Amino acid sequence: AGGHDGGERETGRVARRTEAWFDRYLKGDEGANTGPAFRVTRTGGVDSTDGAARLRGASGDRYPGLANDERTVKFTGGEQTFANPAGAGPAAISSVPGIGAISQLSGLGAGVSLDFPGQYARFDSAPLSTGVRVTGSPSVKLRVKADGGEAVLFAKVYDVGPNGRQQLPSQLVSPVRVTGAKDGRTVEVRLP
């Protein structure tokens, strides 16, 4: 909470955790409480009595998203074929300079994102039963086969609301170059 600077409340918490870590691992004080192995905080509104930011958080005994610590979401879509546009342009657009970079607008879903028919593969999940806050980098495994043996793909995750409106969170896209794909190759793509 408070961005990269942390804000006053977060800065104090981080300083206490750092001091406890030094006490435990450099001074050998086994009783020093270093807190949970992982904690993330987010601003969860404003206290109406004093205007202070309310922090919400989640803790874990290890960093989420590491190997064998996964939440799996099943997708539908099957095998799909798509092609680069003639002359490689115009390709699909994930953001427009000057609009996509304005975080206030893209945070409100005002960013521009277009996927042209025949230029993309689409995979959908069933609606999730509860809201999800993603911490770390989600990944997806894809089987890619390219005529020329090499492909450059741009992976993105859309958040689709209950009303069907889709949003590309923060206009984030992951480029990936797949080599040796003439006969097909499975790759793991780390998403933003």
Side-chain angles (χ1 to χ4, degrees), residues 134-139 154-157 168-175 189-192:
V134 176
T135 300
S137 297
S139 65
F154 297 91
K156 39 189 161 174
V157 175
L168 183 58
S170 300
Q171 303 297 102
L172 293 173
V173 178
S174 287
V189 178
R190 288 265 167 210
L191 301 163

Side-chain angles (χ1 to χ4, degrees), residues 121 123 140-144 153 155 176 178 185-189:
F123 304 94
V140 64
K141 288 185 181 176
L142 302 171
R143 178 110 178 121
V144 178
L153 309 173
V176 60
V178 181
R185 180 173 170 211
T186 300
V187 294
E188 182 173 352
V189 178

Side-chain angles (χ1 to χ4, degrees), residues 49-140:
T49 61
D50 61 8
R54 305 280 306 203
L55 298 182
R56 296 182 305 145
S59 300
D61 58 359
R62 61 186 174 162
Y63 186 83
L66 298 176
N68 301 320
D69 185 21
E70 304 168 342
R71 175 182 177 163
T72 302
V73 177
K74 295 189 185 277
F75 293 102
T76 61
E79 185 174 309
Q80 300 174 50
T81 301
F82 59 94
N84 288 334
I93 300 170
S94 291
S95 66
V96 174
I99 294 178
I102 301 173
S103 61
Q104 292 87 352
L105 289 177
S106 61
L108 296 172
V112 175
S113 181
L114 303 171
D115 294 311
F116 294 117
Q119 294 183 23
Y120 68 92
R122 177 182 175 143
F123 304 94
D124 296 309
S125 73
L128 301 177
S129 59
T130 60
V132 174
R133 292 230 182 227
V134 176
T135 300
S137 297
S139 65
V140 64

